[in-house]
Amino acid sequence: MSKLIINGGNRLIGEAGIQGSKNSVLPILAATVLVKGESVIENCPLITDVEATVKILRYLGCKVKREGHTVTVDSTDADKYDIPDDLMREMRSSVVFLGAIIGRMGKASLSTPGGCEIGLRPIDLHLDSIQRFGVNIKEEYAKIEFETVKPLEGTNITLSFPSVGATENIILTACMAKGTTVIRNAAREPEISDLADFLNRCGAKISGTGEGTVVIEGVERLYPSKHRVIPDRIVAGTYMAAAAMTHGKIHISSVIPAHIAPVIPVFEEAGCDISIRGNDITLTAPPRLKSIKTVRTMPYPGFPTDMQAQIMAMTTVCHGTSVIIETIFESRYKHVSELLRFGAKIRVDGRMAVTEGIDKLTGASVISSDLRGGASLVLAGLAAQGKTAVDGVKFIDRGYENIEGVLASLGGSVTRSERNEADGAGEEQV
Ligand code: UD1
């Protein structure tokens, strides 16, 4: 069981390159199942969610090669249409294989997906949508069987909520369906456009991603191609928050500033200076951050729920009262009880969290129980006086490549301790 050990108080100053996007690479790797031949995906981050995705691809019968940040997938011989329970449980995004497997095999068998502990994550929108292509669905206990008796047929779907995963699954299924599919109230996240860019490069006909109505013309087959995954806007935002909380200055290179636009006003409200040049962003923090009136998480282009925990960590050291309202997930405040251990003052009432900023957090021993919540604890540790130990690093490793290395390169004192608790040597005294 590894832990991150942080000696807080250092100002983070320097330059950081940003890894490829987790939320892009997962559906793109799943999409390679639709391509008979060798897909080359570049800029794949070295994170455990990618490892879990590769395991699923191999189980399905794909030949997968990993060389650094490039993953090559040859799906020519893929012949399985199920995903075993243990692989489904490793991450919730495994549900995005559904559209790809059905598109390729005309049938699929999945158990209900796993993932972060951030509340109920139903897949009703995925199931309702897939059914509309003429797929029969049978649910038994935790197993779901999908079958087609005739070729998939394009359809019109209006989502009651712009679900990211459901939009991706519909796109994947629709690529191989006969005729036209139209998705209304589709999610507009940049990662969906990245998925469509990859598929279009393979010969798919997808238009309108990023605009709310997506139109997909089904095609006979997809051809192998090469694609570079977009930079991870959430990782960029996390490191910006780290610099802001430590009164530092960070220069982030090779990002797509438009993707980060929804979080920039929050940093500016806190008193940070942001300058954007081409694909580079520089954040310079003031000596004391100001509070943030209200941040409300919303589907893109609103403020991302995946930045809620990190911004909450930031508000704990802002001068004054800040309010956060989480509208996307009903139980995404698991980090609050851990942030309180640093001395933070946060009250939660339903979906609203109110923070009274304090001058200094104090290092603590904390446990992360989800990816972004875990990142928020690392940020608190960086800003705190004294030593912090963050347990549950496996959640952070799902989405951050070498987080300790990146933060250390900016001047943070962050190391990974791999000591074995069974030896009695694992308890870091803080
Ligand atoms: C994706 C992201 C995740 C991000 C989330 C919201 C990936 C791999 N993950 O997750 O990082 O936090 O978008 O931006 O891209 N819902 C239903 N029924 C469904 C599907 C969703 O009720 O069938 C609800 C969910 O419970 C949640 C909300 O819709 O409350 C948003 O979910 P969705 O957009 O589907 O998120 P994910 O695709 O799971």
Side-chain angles (χ1 to χ4, degrees), residues 5-242:
I5 309 300
I6 304 162
N7 282 300
N10 294 0
R11 287 178 74 199
L12 294 197
I13 298 176
E15 191 168 333
I18 296 299
Q19 68 186 65
S21 161
K22 170 180 91 71
N23 288 355
S24 272
V25 73
L26 304 181
I28 289 172
L29 286 174
T32 63
V33 170
L34 292 174
V35 181
K36 284 191 187 160
E38 203 175 77
S39 307
V40 180
I41 312 301
E42 297 173 340
N43 204 28
C44 298
L46 303 177
I47 54 175
T48 55
D49 266 11
V50 168
E51 284 169 27
T53 307
V54 166
K55 270 194 222 164
I56 295 176
L57 287 168
R58 288 193 171 130
Y59 175 83
L60 294 173
C62 307
K63 291 191 184 74
V64 187
K65 249 189 340 211
R66 284 193 75 171
E67 282 160 338
H69 292 88
T70 300
V71 178
T72 306
V73 186
D74 184 344
S75 300
T76 310
D77 299 327
D79 55 356
K80 292 228 174 52
Y81 59 90
D82 67 308
I83 301 181
D85 194 41
D86 55 327
L87 295 180
M88 279 303 283
R89 278 176 186 278
E90 273 190 43
M91 61 171 187
R92 176 189 158 86
S93 6
S94 46
V95 75
V96 85
F97 273 93
L98 175 60
I101 296 176
I102 291 184
R104 170 78 185 262
M105 316 279 179
K107 56 184 172 181
S109 170
L110 307 182
S111 57
T112 43
C116 276
E117 292 297 319
I118 56 174
L120 273 180
R121 297 181 80 169
I123 57 164
D124 54 314
L125 298 173
H126 300 246
L127 302 186
D128 292 352
S129 309
I130 295 293
Q131 220 157 12
R132 299 184 70 100
F133 289 93
V135 177
N136 296 325
I137 302 181
K138 222 168 59 198
E139 281 186 73
E140 263 174 29
Y141 304 106
K143 201 139 187 82
I144 315 174
E145 307 282 347
F146 303 83
E147 259 182 24
T148 46
V149 284
K150 53 185 176 92
L152 296 165
E153 262 183 50
T155 181
N156 286 329
I157 296 169
T158 301
L159 290 171
S160 56
F161 178 86
S163 154
V164 174
T167 302
E168 291 167 345
N169 258 330
I170 299 168
I171 290 175
L172 289 165
T173 313
C175 278
M176 307 319 285
K178 243 176 109 147
T180 307
T181 297
V182 179
I183 317 171
R184 295 200 170 75
N185 198 26
R188 296 159 65 186
E189 270 67 2
E191 294 78 17
I192 296 170
S193 301
D194 202 23
L195 169 67
D197 285 349
F198 166 64
L199 287 165
N200 283 341
R201 227 168 251 162
C202 299
K205 292 185 178 159
I206 306 163
S207 57
T209 53
E211 289 166 18
T213 299
V214 179
V215 179
I216 308 115
E217 303 284 347
V219 294
E220 286 292 320
R221 63 167 294 175
L222 295 175
Y223 298 90
S225 83
K226 194 191 239 191
H227 181 79
R228 189 172 173 80
V229 172
I230 56 170
D232 196 309
R233 61 194 166 104
I234 304 300
V235 169
T238 302
Y239 293 140
M240 287 165 77

Side-chain angles (χ1 to χ4, degrees), residues 360-392:
K360 265 281 168 229
L361 300 172
T362 307
S365 192
V366 289
I367 303 178
S368 86
S369 58
D370 69 88
L371 166 58
R372 306 302 171 190
S376 77
L377 304 179
V378 173
L379 300 188
L382 288 165
Q385 241 159 10
K387 190 168 170 181
T388 288
V390 181
D391 211 332

Side-chain angles (χ1 to χ4, degrees), residues 244 265-272 286 288-292 314 318:
V266 175
F267 288 117
E268 286 178 333
E269 190 179 343
C272 298
R288 180 84 204 262
L289 294 167
K290 292 184 287 188
S291 63
I292 292 151
M314 188 177 91
C318 288

